[in-house]
Amino acid sequence: MSSVESQQDKYFNKMTLLSGMVGSGKTYAIRETVKKKIATNKTYIIQHTNDFGSLCEELKGNLIVVNNVVEINMFSFYPASYTSGDYYTYLFDCHCKELFVFLKLLLERDMWNVEKVQLMNAILEMYESVGITKGRFNPNYKYAPKHLCFSTFCEVLKEHSDNLYKEFKVYSPLMVEDKNISNYFDKKNRGLDLKNNLNLIYTNGMYSLAVLYSYVVAIKRKMRIEPEPTLLVVDEGFLFLKVEHLLETLILNSGASSVQTELLISIQSLTDLSENLNEILSAANKVILFRQNRNETPILEVNLKLPKDVVKQTHSLPTGEAMVIEDKHMYSIKYS
């Protein structure tokens, strides 16, 4: 395994950005990609509208409908066989940062700097109290990792900030703390005659960023400790790409799975990427442009540096046809 320095800031080995107007062929292209890769890749699809329900049924996948509760125990930390060393430290750092972001998203407000310090100190103290530190995973009793949960965290937080404690306690009813994050997707299939190669996460029109974030974290943590060929599809990815913390977790911190994982993000408009546009385009090694709205012209010309005649061509592409930009080369593709 390569050193943590080469892993911790690495993008996915393959990241594809699909952009196109409604009805331009993006959904069909994603379906064909999933069908092609499902035999050799663990596949996760996060969808906001039910465009892939029939695909999930056809491939005997696992449908997970997101509710307005946090089903995943974000506080449980299980690093598998990594109990010390550089990669363990990397796993612990990722875990704490993601937990911090989750709690910050839960508040749905900006935090003062002093509050951020109090929050992170409470996180670290909670783990240290049971023998889990940045340097070593050495729980001081057998079931300590399973007992780490939202209520435990709140009790620790109370010692750091009574105001934050009272604010977070309001969210207690949203927490369902009976799922271990490392095998969450396998547990979802328990007792069901379904293949687990495909997991379709349907947000059901639910846009709680904290809840949505918890599913992304569940996928990423599983990928880090159990590296395997994986395809992660985010349909209508504008929600992730406009929020800095969601974007960072989505495209970075893949650890040992970086070289085996492909990330595919679909959006309707490049303008949805707002201030994160350049970072996303830098991370993507492939951009697939289906039919584009004329409002995209400045981005196509300035950011993607496409010739004016090519930009004009993207405005009238037939359904299912696209222009692909990959490794500074451009070519046409047709999905049919």
Side-chain angles (χ1 to χ4, degrees), residues 140-191:
N140 50 29
Y141 67 99
K142 185 176 180 181
Y143 298 106
K146 294 183 179 180
H147 293 166
L148 295 170
C149 59
F150 184 71
S151 57
T152 303
F153 167 75
C154 285
E155 292 307 311
V156 177
L157 180 63
K158 189 175 183 179
E159 301 300 317
H160 292 265
S161 170
D162 191 57
N163 289 334
L164 281 178
Y165 164 76
K166 291 176 180 177
E167 196 169 356
F168 274 109
K169 282 293 286 184
V170 174
Y171 295 95
S172 294
L174 300 181
M175 304 295 163
V176 180
E177 300 172 337
D178 63 346
K179 294 182 175 65
N180 186 322
I181 202 164
S182 66
N183 62 355
Y184 172 74
F185 293 103
D186 294 327
K187 281 191 173 184
K188 274 287 187 179
N189 272 340
R190 187 165 294 172

Side-chain angles (χ1 to χ4, degrees), residues 3-245:
S3 67
V4 65
E5 285 79 9
S6 64
Q7 297 286 358
Q8 60 188 0
D9 293 322
K10 187 172 183 178
Y11 295 125
F12 282 97
N13 189 43
K14 294 181 180 179
M15 176 176 163
T16 300
L17 178 67
L18 284 82
S19 171
M21 300 168 62
V22 174
S24 60
K26 299 190 306 299
T27 299
Y28 182 83
I30 293 173
R31 287 175 60 92
E32 292 304 299
T33 300
V34 170
K35 285 182 177 181
K36 181 179 179 181
K37 293 179 176 290
I38 193 67
T40 56
N41 286 258
K42 177 83 74 175
T43 301
Y44 301 95
I45 302 176
I46 301 176
Q47 64 168 10
H48 297 303
T49 56
N50 197 20
D51 289 334
F52 300 100
S54 59
L55 176 66
C56 183
E57 185 175 347
E58 177 185 342
L59 298 177
K60 295 183 172 60
N62 181 29
L63 175 63
I64 301 169
V65 180
V66 178
N67 298 305
N68 196 26
V69 293
V70 182
E71 292 190 292
I72 298 164
N73 184 357
M74 292 288 291
F75 299 83
S76 177
F77 177 59
Y78 178 67
S81 60
Y82 305 100
T83 57
S84 62
D86 285 347
Y87 198 70
Y88 165 78
T89 299
Y90 163 69
L91 292 174
F92 183 77
D93 282 345
C94 288
H95 176 88
C96 291
K97 289 175 183 176
E98 289 164 352
L99 181 54
F100 175 87
V101 171
F102 166 76
L103 292 167
K104 188 173 181 293
L105 289 172
L106 198 62
L107 285 184
E108 296 184 328
R109 68 167 176 83
D110 292 331
M111 296 181 68
W112 298 100
N113 287 336
V114 65
E115 291 179 318
K116 294 177 182 178
V117 172
Q118 291 168 337
L119 191 63
M120 182 56 79
N121 285 343
I123 291 172
L124 295 175
E125 182 180 320
M126 177 182 65
Y127 291 111
E128 289 173 0
S129 69
V130 295
I132 300 173
T133 66
K134 183 175 182 177
R136 189 169 183 81
F137 183 78
N138 187 27
N140 50 29
Y141 67 99
K142 185 176 180 181
Y143 298 106
K146 294 183 179 180
H147 293 166
L148 295 170
C149 59
F150 184 71
S151 57
T152 303
F153 167 75
C154 285
E155 292 307 311
V156 177
L157 180 63
K158 189 175 183 179
E159 301 300 317
H160 292 265
S161 170
D162 191 57
N163 289 334
L164 281 178
Y165 164 76
K166 291 176 180 177
E167 196 169 356
F168 274 109
K169 282 293 286 184
V170 174
Y171 295 95
S172 294
L174 300 181
M175 304 295 163
V176 180
E177 300 172 337
D178 63 346
K179 294 182 175 65
N180 186 322
I181 202 164
S182 66
N183 62 355
Y184 172 74
F185 293 103
D186 294 327
K187 281 191 173 184
K188 274 287 187 179
N189 272 340
R190 187 165 294 172
L192 300 177
D193 185 21
L194 296 173
K195 291 170 60 178
N196 204 33
N197 281 353
L198 171 63
N199 289 283
L200 176 61
I201 301 168
Y202 177 32
T203 66
N204 198 27
M206 193 283 306
Y207 288 96
S208 167
L209 290 182
V211 175
L212 197 55
Y213 183 75
S214 70
Y215 281 89
V216 177
V217 170
I219 295 170
K220 297 301 289 290
R221 289 181 180 173
K222 181 175 174 62
M223 286 164 48
R224 291 187 197 117
I225 63 174
E226 299 175 17
E228 61 183 325
T230 301
L231 173 65
L232 172 56
V233 178
V234 181
D235 189 37
E236 301 301 343
F238 67 93
L239 185 61
F240 290 88
L241 303 183
K242 291 175 70 174
V243 180
E244 180 183 357
H245 296 306

